[in-house]
Amino acid sequence: MIKNGRLTPLDLVEAYLARIDTYEPVYQAFNTVLADQARAAAKAAGRRRHTGPLHGIPLAIKDNYWTAGVRTTANSHLFQDFVPPYDATAVARLKANGAIVLGKTQMGPLATTRATTPDGRITTVNAWTPTIPGTDPGGSSTGTATSVAGRLATSGTGTQTGGSITAPSNAQNLTGLKPTMGRVSLAGIIPLSYTRDHPGPLARDARDAAIMLTAMAGEDPADPRTQGLPRVPDLVEAATPVYSGRRLRARWSTRVGVLPGYADGTSATALARQAFLSTVDKIDGVRLVDVPLPDEWDLLTGNAFNNVRLPERSEPFMPYLRADLRGFGVSVTGWLQGALLGANEFVTGQRAKLLLLERVLDQVFERCDVVVQTGPVPFDILGLPEIGFPIGFTAAGVPIGTILGGAPYAEDRLLSVVAAYQAVTDWHWRRPPNPPAATALRSAAPAEDRGRLTADDVVAQMQ
């Protein structure tokens, strides 16, 4: 519509700002709303030649991405007054492609849990149950998910170390793409784990996610993890459904691996997974195949080995740990655990990680092209790509999602499968009702009334 002159970037920005003004008191999705800057950027976009699908599109940016001249807090005492001198590489690339930053979104403190204040008071709610703060909105990219689901932004950015893109996408009926480690630069993003942090988009469907990742991805001199990798394929084409005549078919012949127990049972989630598999199996060119769990799966993906990520968390923050533990708020335990983990344990964990990667590639991806996931952690350990997307709802109207995992740099294959599935389903088109206007305007519960996470809660939930 913008390209064809049917809509101006300023009109679009004003529409989103109006929703933010009305409903943000309930959702509490943002730390900072950049209304004046967004309007100025929209006016400038309206005067420029159209630059592509992100031209004039308003986005929400997670508050651990550096934004030049705009406070970037990571919901932490440590960064409460931090104003970066430049944009994170991913933000700079989105803006270079014409996107407009509406604001910075709430997140788990230092990217550990669902969005809370540094001392654990719950802030952001699930857009589907805004009056029930106890409903999990997903973390730690909570504010981005709620802003997109609640139609306060078109799409947004997140980071994933232990499910922080796929979990809020599943919780709020979105399509979230965690790319392969190195696909998107981490330069200018407040770190949680050097080998597990993955920047990526939270969007409404596969095509939007592809548009976002296309802009964000690519080599960056400021991040060696991005260098020397396979080229970024045409993700937007991959996320475009393919038809033979009127019949939908897979873009590539694709084996979807099904792990043991994935759809067992009669719960709402199990029934949604069964229906998802049945629908995918009817798409021409897609074949379901049973895939065994790799050898010693529970051991290699369990807490003992997963916790070797914690020294990577502590290492860049050692000066802060030595100076004042109070700066870490309710999430301090994870940083202390990382500081106290021994070098022998860390090295053993790295060897276990290589063994796990070898077994996933040899024992899973020798049999399939993509694989269903019951949780994000194993592929987060390995830096492999994943996509979370909606597959149904509970009887109470809460979204149900699932996750597909892919081989290294196979984001295009993941997008193609989800795009085909979304071409024959409408879950991704469904939107939550607006909060009651009176609640939104006059009776929003303050953060302290929404509950609180304790230090023990954070340890149990942390990414």
Side-chain angles (χ1 to χ4, degrees):
M1 292 174 70
I2 291 172
K3 181 179 180 180
N4 295 329
R6 296 166 56 201
L7 177 70
T8 70
L10 182 59
D11 287 341
L12 185 59
V13 164
E14 291 290 2
Y16 279 109
L17 289 175
R19 286 191 61 81
I20 291 171
D21 185 61
T22 302
Y23 299 115
E24 171 61 10
V26 171
Y27 290 137
Q28 294 185 32
F30 287 93
N31 275 335
T32 304
V33 176
L34 301 170
D36 291 341
Q37 295 94 319
R39 289 187 178 103
K43 290 176 183 177
R47 294 190 294 265
R48 290 197 306 270
R49 179 179 59 84
H50 192 267
T51 56
L54 284 176
H55 185 98
I57 300 299
L59 304 180
I61 304 297
K62 188 175 180 179
D63 203 23
N64 56 348
Y65 284 70
W66 288 26
T67 41
V70 177
R71 202 163 63 105
T72 298
T73 72
N75 276 41
S76 167
H77 292 309
L78 298 178
F79 298 98
Q80 60 187 354
D81 298 317
F82 175 54
V83 178
Y86 56 85
D87 288 328
T89 298
V91 173
R93 287 179 170 170
L94 288 166
K95 290 165 72 172
N97 278 270
I100 294 170
V101 176
L102 277 176
K104 305 295 293 295
T105 56
Q106 291 260 355
M107 55 183 285
L110 293 171
T112 47
T113 60
R114 68 177 288 179
T116 72
T117 60
D119 60 356
R121 287 176 289 128
I122 290 171
T123 53
T124 314
V125 293
N126 190 315
W128 290 85
T129 58
T131 61
I132 308 175
T135 303
D136 184 14
S140 62
S141 306
T142 315
T144 296
T146 297
S147 69
V148 178
R151 304 184 299 289
L152 310 184
T154 62
S155 295
T157 66
T159 54
Q160 177 156 325
T161 307
S164 292
I165 291 174
T166 54
S169 295
N170 282 174
Q172 302 209 47
N173 208 53
L174 302 176
T175 301
L177 180 55
K178 183 208 82 175
T180 310
M181 169 57 66
R183 265 292 187 230
V184 178
S185 173
L186 282 157
I189 296 176
I190 295 171
L192 184 61
S193 170
Y194 186 84
T195 65
R196 297 197 195 180
D197 290 348
H198 303 75
L202 290 85
R204 293 188 181 139
D205 63 11
R207 192 175 174 90
D208 280 4
I211 290 168
M212 288 284 288
L213 185 58
T214 297
M216 298 170 71
E219 187 168 327
D220 178 14
D223 186 353
R225 289 162 290 197
T226 68
Q227 297 170 20
L229 305 183
R231 68 172 184 82
V232 180
D234 189 333
L235 300 175
V236 177
E237 179 179 304
T240 302
V242 177
Y243 292 87
S244 295
R246 292 186 173 182
R247 189 170 181 82
L248 178 74
R249 64 175 177 82
R251 180 168 292 275
W252 300 286
S253 179
T254 301
R255 300 164 297 169
V256 176
V258 182
L259 294 171
Y262 168 74
D264 290 354
T266 58
S267 68
T269 296
L271 295 176
R273 288 175 174 179
Q274 292 164 20
F276 159 67
L277 293 176
S278 176
T279 300
V280 167
D281 196 35
K282 293 182 176 69
I283 298 172
D284 284 355
V286 174
R287 179 164 57 95
L288 301 183
V289 295
D290 290 328
V291 175
L293 291 170
D295 297 340
E296 299 181 292
W297 177 257
D298 290 340
L299 173 65
L300 294 173
T301 62
N303 280 339
F305 282 120
N306 188 33
N307 281 345
V308 302
R309 76 197 188 283
L310 297 178
E312 295 185 18
R313 172 175 305 181
S314 302
E315 181 267 333
F317 288 92
M318 288 306 296
Y320 300 96
L321 285 167
R322 295 188 182 104
D324 190 351
L325 294 176
R326 292 173 296 182
F328 292 86
V330 74
S331 60
V332 67
T333 305
W335 272 263
L336 288 174
Q337 288 175 323
L340 296 173
L341 195 74
N344 289 341
E345 296 169 289
F346 181 77
V347 171
T348 300
Q350 302 313 305
R351 290 174 176 166
K353 176 179 176 178
L354 291 175
L355 180 61
L356 176 62
L357 178 60
E358 179 182 78
R359 288 179 177 174
V360 167
L361 295 179
D362 290 348
Q363 298 177 18
V364 174
F365 286 116
E366 283 294 313
R367 295 175 169 86
C368 64
D369 303 296
V370 301
V371 61
V372 298
Q373 301 282 295
T374 54
V377 169
F379 276 34
D380 288 339
I381 291 174
L382 301 176
L384 297 178
E386 296 173 294
I387 189 168
F389 55 98
I391 60 170
F393 288 84
T394 68
V398 177
I400 299 172
T402 196
I403 303 170
L404 287 179
Y409 314 110
E411 294 87 2
D412 53 347
R413 184 66 70 103
L414 292 174
L415 286 164
S416 72
V417 174
V418 176
Y421 173 72
Q422 291 180 338
V424 293
T425 58
D426 69 350
W427 306 117
H428 60 291
W429 282 107
R430 303 191 188 188
R431 304 285 182 262
N434 295 326
T439 301
L441 293 173
R442 293 183 289 276
S443 305
E448 57 267 28
D449 293 339
R450 295 184 166 187
R452 191 175 194 140
L453 299 186
T454 66
D456 288 340
D457 293 332
V458 172
V459 170
Q461 298 179 26
M462 67 183 180
Q463 306 302 307

